[in-house]
Amino acid sequence: MYQRKPEWLKIKTIGGKNRTQVEKLLENLSLNTVCKEAACPNIMECFSRKTATFMILGNHCTRNCTFCNVEKGTAMEIDRKEPEKIAEAAGTLGLKHVVITSVTRDDLPDGGAGHFASVIEKVRSSCKGITIEVLIPDFKGDEAALDKVVSAAPDIINHNIETVHRLYPEVRPQADYSRSLRLLRNVKERDSRIYTKSGIMVGLGEKPEEVTGVFRDLREYGCDILTIGQYIAPSLKHHPVVEFVTPEMFEKYKASAYRLGFSHVTSGPLVRSSYHADNALDSLIER
């Protein structure tokens, strides 16, 4: 059943030359962003700040998560010039912190991990002083694939847990809750200098105690940074919104997460995993 969005989820239209510059740059370089492909509610704000979350390995996903707006179907040919293109875009925009994600590519032997590493290495060599965050798939639990990303030494490796354990069969049918937790632990075991990060959506039908249970699990597996945001259904064909969580509840979740020991928590109705991602790293570096 369709639910009318509450006032706190209404988004103001933001234009301006910065937004236009970002859109033209992405078009000219033929780059994908999760901002556009996942119908992120913050796209206007982020583009107006001259930031974007780059999405590599095409724009067709090999999985069928019921919450996601990214196209499903036959995977696309990898653009081997993507590392150079993203480095050029990051440099043109003057990014101090870049976030790179991808579709899930279960069709590739390493899940696209080697391509992730190539992008990280090219951005770092081309954009001096930049910090790099990657939001990666689970690579089907392939630790050798994960090693490729870890060896490229991004500053943050993010892998979103997305929802509570009970809802995985209907929300993330091809994913595995325990496998996602192990990925975060494996990053820390391989290089403790890399910050680990994860995110959860609420409003899918979970209970508050299940959400805080996810927080505990993430901390047990060494996760440093957490994002908590409201699920918004991209269309009537996607998983329905069961509840619009109040801003007050987001503050309670944030306080609970900090009590459990997360180093940085961003929590709010419009929060997404890469929303103001630079702020999280800045706060950790300043400590």
Side-chain angles (χ1 to χ4, degrees):
M1 181 182 295
Y2 173 78
Q3 294 190 54
R4 186 180 298 275
K5 291 180 183 177
E7 286 297 320
W8 62 79
L9 281 175
K10 292 186 177 178
I11 302 162
K12 295 180 180 179
T13 300
I14 302 173
K17 71 176 182 180
N18 283 352
R19 177 183 170 189
T20 301
Q21 179 186 355
V22 172
E23 290 172 338
K24 286 184 176 179
L25 178 66
L26 295 170
E27 181 180 356
N28 291 339
L29 291 175
S30 298
L31 287 173
N32 296 309
T33 66
V34 74
C35 320
K36 179 180 177 181
E37 303 301 331
C40 179
N42 303 309
I43 185 170
M44 289 186 289
E45 178 188 350
C46 292
F47 279 14
S48 70
R49 293 176 62 234
K50 295 179 69 174
T51 63
T53 297
F54 301 106
M55 190 172 77
I56 63 175
L57 296 167
N59 60 4
H60 284 70
C61 189
T62 56
R63 294 195 184 176
N64 293 299
C65 298
T66 61
F67 66 88
C68 185
N69 192 60
V70 174
E71 289 288 332
K72 282 78 173 173
T74 304
M76 301 175 69
E77 189 74 23
I78 296 175
D79 181 358
R80 297 299 176 184
K81 294 182 179 179
E82 213 162 37
E84 290 79 10
K85 290 180 179 181
I86 291 177
E88 180 180 345
T92 300
L93 294 173
L95 297 182
K96 295 180 179 179
H97 182 77
V98 63
V99 184
I100 302 152
T101 188
S102 76
V103 290
T104 299
R105 294 293 303 264
D106 288 334
D107 60 308
L108 299 175
D110 69 349
H115 193 65
F116 259 108
S118 296
V119 174
I120 294 166
E121 290 160 359
K122 183 61 180 179
V123 170
R124 175 158 288 126
S125 66
S126 301
C127 307
K128 302 304 179 184
I130 198 170
T131 52
I132 301 172
E133 176 176 336
V134 291
L135 171 54
I136 61 173
D138 61 23
F139 301 128
K140 295 192 289 188
D142 184 345
E143 294 186 15
L146 179 61
D147 284 340
K148 294 180 182 181
V149 179
V150 173
S151 295
D155 298 275
I156 297 175
I157 291 182
N158 182 2
H159 175 69
N160 284 335
I161 202 77
E162 303 291 15
T163 188
V164 302
H165 190 189
R166 176 176 58 85
L167 294 178
Y168 260 58
E170 57 184 283
V171 176
R172 303 188 74 198
Q174 293 158 288
D176 182 271
Y177 183 82
S178 297
R179 184 167 66 196
S180 287
L181 289 173
R182 287 195 301 271
L183 180 149
L184 294 165
R185 181 184 61 195
N186 288 338
V187 170
K188 281 295 187 186
E189 288 179 348
R190 284 157 171 74
D191 191 340
S192 61
R193 297 169 298 179
I194 297 175
Y195 292 109
T196 51
K197 177 177 176 180
S198 193
I200 182 171
M201 303 172 291
V202 293
L204 286 155
E206 71 291 328
K207 299 175 182 177
E209 59 269 26
E210 291 178 302
V211 176
T212 53
V214 172
F215 297 170
R216 285 192 292 272
D217 289 341
L218 288 170
R219 283 299 301 137
E220 183 180 342
Y221 282 76
C223 186
D224 301 305
I225 304 168
L226 177 67
T227 59
I228 312 160
Q230 170 71 50
Y231 169 64
I232 302 173
S235 76
L236 294 175
K237 296 179 181 179
H238 291 81
H239 192 290
V241 175
V242 176
E243 177 188 10
F244 287 117
V245 177
T246 65
E248 292 76 17
M249 192 63 195
F250 277 103
E251 286 302 309
K252 290 181 180 179
Y253 281 143
K254 182 177 182 178
S256 296
Y258 271 124
R259 283 195 297 270
L260 288 167
F262 284 95
S263 299
H264 189 89
V265 182
T266 307
S267 178
L270 291 173
V271 166
R272 297 297 180 266
S273 59
S274 56
Y275 183 62
H276 289 239
D278 52 337
N279 293 342
L281 188 58
D282 286 345
S283 70
L284 294 174
I285 291 173
E286 288 171 1
R287 293 185 179 183

